[in-house]
Amino acid sequence: MAEGLEVKELEDVVVRFSGDSGDGMQLAGNIFSTISATVGNDISTFPDYPADIRAPQGSLTGVSGYQVHIGEGKVYTPGDKCDVLVAMNAAALKTQYQYAKPDGSIIIDTDAFGPADLKKAEFKSDDYLSEMGIDPDRVVACPITRMVKETLADTEMDMKDKLKCRNMFALGLVCWLFNRDLQLMADFLNKKFAKKPAVAEANVRVVNAGYDYGANTHASVPNSYRIETKQKKPGRYMDITGNKATAYGLMAAAERAGLKLYLASYPITPATDILHELSKHKSMGVISVQCEDEISAAASAIGASFAGALGATSTSGPGICLKSEALNLAVIDELPLVVIDVQRGGPSTGLPTKSEQTDLLQVLYGRNGESPMPVIAATSPTDCFDAAYMAAKIALEHLTPVVLLSDAFAANGSEAWALPDINKLPEIHPHYATPAQKYKYTPYQRDPETKVRYWAIPGQEGYAHILGGLEKDGETGSISSDPENHNKMDHLRSDKVASIEVPDLEVEGDKRDAELLIVGFGSTYGHLFTAMTEMRRKGYKVALAHFKYINPLPKNTAKVLMKYKKVVVAEQNLGQLAALLRIRINNFVPYQYNQVKGQPFVVAELVQAFESLIGAPDDHDIGRYFETRILQ
């Protein structure tokens, strides 16, 4: 390294790629995260893209970002701030600089900072670095567009296709900063563009050009970063998104149960990738159907379950609203169904590409009548596999629709995932009708202990029956409007869900003597765990109890939560889990930390808020003050 270049040895590093939606930032970030996982780093990613299909080029609203956190050990979040920010145009620098660390490096394409670009980004002068208070010594100012054109000058590609390779130049420069093996990069690109070898060759050339630029002009680069790699446990690993993990979890459950998997879905951001992924696996017996609307998707999946398949339907919040009537049909018919709700910002169309946890009460109570339904919330992108698998297991063994709550953060984010041995996954035993019931079967005969009805598949001789939306007699299966029977059936359906065995609520950290217990659910696990860890390093006594199973709640929930003097429920809504816990647990009055920004929690903000809570007097007035202050 040349004199003056500071090499930073870090345990973990955060890189954020940003540019126009058409600049390929999501692809560049995905490739970098995959290569990092390949060499043994742990990763956590956060794609952050606009709702516009294609915003005007260079506009502030059209900026797309992809943040990658890589570490020598386990990382739980994409990071609060980035060590390296790649800004492919003026608008990206203007909107994304807020995510850079004060001493971080910034890579810009100077060819995208002309007068027209600066005007679109609403800069007031040509001196954009001074205007934003950025030290020029932190900036790698590179004419990326011009250099890409020169690199591909001898190819037959048209100018439009050449410019699509700009992201690869930036990626090559980042690879130099982190000493990444270019052969791994070449192998990845050749595989990705196997059907377009000319495109693969062009991208490899541009990546090498970016790498060489870094190697040849490194004296102008303020920092270089090196991060050690630790070998993971032996096994096959892949960089997987939450949506793909969800699809794989459903496939594994169907395989383990010996059933066909049938997914009916209507495209909706950010859940559509589940449909896309499952449509690729016809060889595995997967049936995927893109329906004309959300209602038909739910109804179609219910029909598949009635016919003996593992029925599933995927959507986001607005789709859950539309599916509610059909989901009630699955409840009263007591059919197995997996409902995947990839939550996004609302209400209405809201923030289609952003993440929230605001559908919790909707999936618990957003249907007419007494309509109990188990709810599971995935805690990370890789946990989406396990959560989907367990949702299918519960649905098939308890003859009930089950909601799997994911969200845009978990669904679009990725982590390094060890491929499981399917034979070591929990067995799944659908609750089928027994041979002894042949010719004596009625649809609501139940297991006396679990209250689960027996599942007969249409076409089986001796098991003819009718299901439907009207209440049925619990003994005969005939339509019934008898008040005592309806009362009995409501209680049976409720008791069946309430009696499902789920794992106990675990406490991490200072479980014996915590001054503060942090409580959350779903995809906020990584941020809350990291906040707890940082507070413990500072000497605080802090613990974390995180919910994956929400309905039914773990049996030890009240015992755990009532043990601690101060409990704060942190969630990306205005207090829905806190409200549920207040309903279910007598005299439980937690503090609350609520944000609805469409963005992940910021660990530093969590730590600051929780520290102030530990130091606050223990009375309800202070509790209300704390809640109000941190919501601002």
Side-chain angles (χ1 to χ4, degrees):
M1 293 292 178
E3 183 180 356
L5 179 65
E6 181 183 356
V7 179
K8 290 191 173 184
E9 297 283 352
L10 299 176
E11 294 182 355
D12 62 303
V13 174
V14 179
V15 183
R16 189 176 182 95
F17 297 86
S18 62
D20 267 331
S21 293
D23 285 341
M25 294 295 95
Q26 305 296 319
L27 176 60
N30 180 261
I31 294 174
F32 185 69
S33 65
T34 299
I35 299 303
S36 298
T38 301
V39 300
N41 293 139
D42 200 45
I43 63 169
S44 178
T45 72
F46 173 50
D48 188 15
Y49 52 92
D52 307 57
I53 294 176
R54 182 59 63 87
Q57 187 175 7
S59 65
L60 295 173
T61 59
V63 175
S64 176
Y66 192 103
Q67 189 156 305
V68 185
H69 186 183
I70 61 176
E72 64 173 15
K74 179 67 178 175
V75 296
Y76 293 92
T77 76
D80 288 356
K81 302 281 186 177
C82 61
D83 299 282
V84 177
L85 171 64
V86 177
M88 297 298 286
N89 61 20
L93 181 66
K94 185 72 170 288
T95 60
Q96 305 298 297
Y97 177 64
Q98 61 181 310
Y99 301 114
K101 292 180 179 178
D103 59 346
S105 300
I106 302 171
I107 300 172
I108 65 172
D109 178 5
T110 54
D111 293 328
F113 281 77
D117 304 302
L118 296 175
K119 184 178 180 180
K120 287 180 183 178
E122 300 180 5
F123 281 102
K124 299 177 181 178
S125 68
D126 293 341
D127 190 4
Y128 50 89
L129 294 180
S130 296
E131 188 174 323
M132 295 192 68
I134 300 175
D135 183 353
D137 290 339
R138 297 171 52 199
V139 179
V140 182
C142 173
I144 293 177
T145 299
R146 177 170 59 84
M147 298 191 74
V148 169
K149 292 178 182 178
E150 293 175 356
T151 302
L152 300 177
D154 61 344
T155 69
E156 297 181 356
M157 299 173 67
D158 61 30
M159 188 57 65
K160 182 178 180 181
D161 287 337
K162 288 178 181 178
L163 294 180
K164 288 181 179 179
C165 297
R166 293 168 62 243
N167 58 337
M168 293 296 107
F169 191 96
L171 182 59
L173 183 52
V174 171
C175 286
W176 175 78
L177 281 175
F178 293 93
N179 196 30
R180 290 302 185 224
D181 186 346
L182 286 185
Q183 187 57 51
L184 291 175
M185 191 69 62
D187 292 344
F188 182 97
L189 291 170
N190 284 322
K191 182 178 180 181
K192 179 173 181 60
F193 299 108
K195 296 182 180 180
K196 299 179 179 179
V199 174
E201 181 185 356
N203 278 282
V204 171
R205 286 177 63 177
V206 174
V207 167
N208 282 313
Y211 190 97
D212 291 342
Y213 177 88
N216 294 330
T217 63
H218 50 262
S220 65
V221 180
N223 297 315
S224 180
Y225 301 91
R226 296 294 180 265
I227 182 166
E228 297 297 325
T229 60
K230 291 183 177 180
Q231 291 298 321
K232 297 179 181 292
K233 295 179 182 178
R236 297 178 62 193
Y237 286 81
M238 66 181 293
D239 177 15
I240 195 169
T241 65
N243 273 341
K244 181 176 284 191
T246 298
Y248 286 2
L250 294 175
M251 291 169 58
E255 180 76 13
R256 199 79 164 110
L259 298 174
K260 290 274 190 181
L261 172 60
Y262 180 100
L263 178 91
S265 185
Y266 178 75
I268 183 171
T269 301
T272 309
D273 286 340
I274 299 170
L275 174 63
H276 289 169
E277 182 61 36
L278 288 176
S279 68
K280 302 174 184 177
H281 298 286
K282 294 179 182 178
S283 62
M284 296 290 293
V286 177
I287 303 170
S288 58
V289 179
Q290 179 175 321
C291 296
E292 64 269 28
D293 55 42
E294 295 284 4
I295 300 170
S296 61
S300 178
I302 292 169
S305 292
F306 177 71
L310 170 56
T313 185
S314 55
T315 189
S316 191
I320 289 291
C321 295
L322 292 166
K323 292 181 191 290
S324 61
E325 183 178 2
L327 299 186
N328 257 347
L329 178 62
V331 170
I332 199 167
D333 284 352
E334 298 186 60
L335 284 168
L337 178 70
V338 178
V339 183
I340 303 114
D341 178 7
V342 186
Q343 299 167 99
R344 69 189 206 182
S348 188
T349 309
L351 304 173
T353 63
K354 307 304 179 183
S355 187
E356 286 180 6
Q357 295 182 302
T358 46
D359 294 353
L360 177 59
L361 293 182
Q362 179 179 214
V363 298
L364 284 169
Y365 301 119
R367 295 171 296 280
N368 64 292
E370 293 295 336
S371 185
M373 202 178 289
V375 176
I376 299 174
T379 60
S380 69
T382 54
D383 185 59
C384 285
F385 175 89
D386 298 304
Y389 186 91
M390 292 307 298
K393 177 178 170 67
I394 290 173
L396 292 167
E397 294 184 345
H398 295 271
L399 274 290
T400 179
V402 179
V403 176
L404 168 58
L405 282 179
S406 177
D407 55 49
F409 172 66
N412 294 322
S414 65
E415 294 178 312
W417 179 59
L419 274 64
D421 181 345
I422 192 170
N423 294 316
K424 294 181 179 179
L425 295 173
E427 294 184 354
I428 297 178
H429 301 285
H431 199 251
Y432 290 125
T434 66
Q437 294 173 313
K438 190 172 184 179
Y439 298 116
K440 297 181 290 185
Y441 175 80
T442 60
Y444 294 107
Q445 294 172 359
R446 299 176 184 274
D447 182 292
E449 293 185 5
T450 64
K451 312 299 182 185
V452 179
R453 79 174 188 90
Y454 294 91
W455 190 19
I457 308 304
Q460 288 181 285
E461 183 181 356
Y463 296 89
H465 64 284
I466 297 174
L467 298 178
L470 291 172
E471 185 67 277
K472 304 297 191 297
D473 185 276
E475 301 297 329
T476 67
S478 300
I479 294 173
S480 172
S481 59
D482 178 70
E484 293 301 325
N485 176 75
H486 180 59
N487 181 65
K488 176 183 176 182
M489 294 297 280
D490 268 340
H491 278 89
L492 284 170
R493 288 186 287 261
S494 178
D495 292 345
K496 179 183 73 170
V497 171
S499 64
I500 295 172
E501 293 287 341
V502 301
D504 279 349
L505 180 63
E506 295 185 1
V507 179
E508 300 177 271
D510 299 301
K511 59 182 70 178
R512 293 178 179 270
D513 55 352
E515 303 170 89
L516 176 68
L517 176 69
I518 303 167
V519 174
F521 78 96
S523 69
T524 59
Y525 172 78
H527 294 83
L528 297 180
F529 180 87
T530 304
M532 177 197 71
T533 301
E534 292 192 10
M535 292 181 71
R536 294 181 72 204
R537 286 176 183 161
K538 293 182 176 183
Y540 291 103
K541 295 288 187 180
V542 187
L544 171 65
H546 204 80
F547 285 92
K548 176 176 178 177
Y549 296 89
I550 299 176
N551 194 40
L553 289 169
K555 291 183 177 179
N556 68 332
T557 296
K559 181 179 179 181
V560 168
L561 299 186
M562 296 300 287
K563 176 182 177 182
Y564 299 92
K565 189 174 182 180
K566 287 185 178 179
V567 180
V568 59
V569 180
E571 46 189 326
Q572 291 180 308
N573 55 48
L574 298 184
Q576 296 186 23
L577 177 62
L580 175 67
L581 295 174
R582 285 189 179 104
I583 292 171
R584 300 285 179 87
I585 303 173
N586 290 333
N587 301 316
F588 178 63
V589 185
Y591 294 88
Q592 292 179 217
Y593 183 92
N594 305 114
Q595 282 188 356
V596 193
K597 298 181 177 181
Q599 295 287 323
F601 281 143
V602 176
V603 172
E605 294 176 359
L606 291 171
V607 170
Q608 182 180 17
F610 296 161
E611 286 177 348
S612 69
L613 178 55
I614 289 178
D618 185 30
D619 62 56
H620 292 298
D621 289 338
I622 291 296
R624 286 193 292 271
Y625 168 74
F626 175 78
E627 181 180 350
T628 300
R629 181 166 61 83
I630 63 175
L631 279 171
Q632 294 176 347

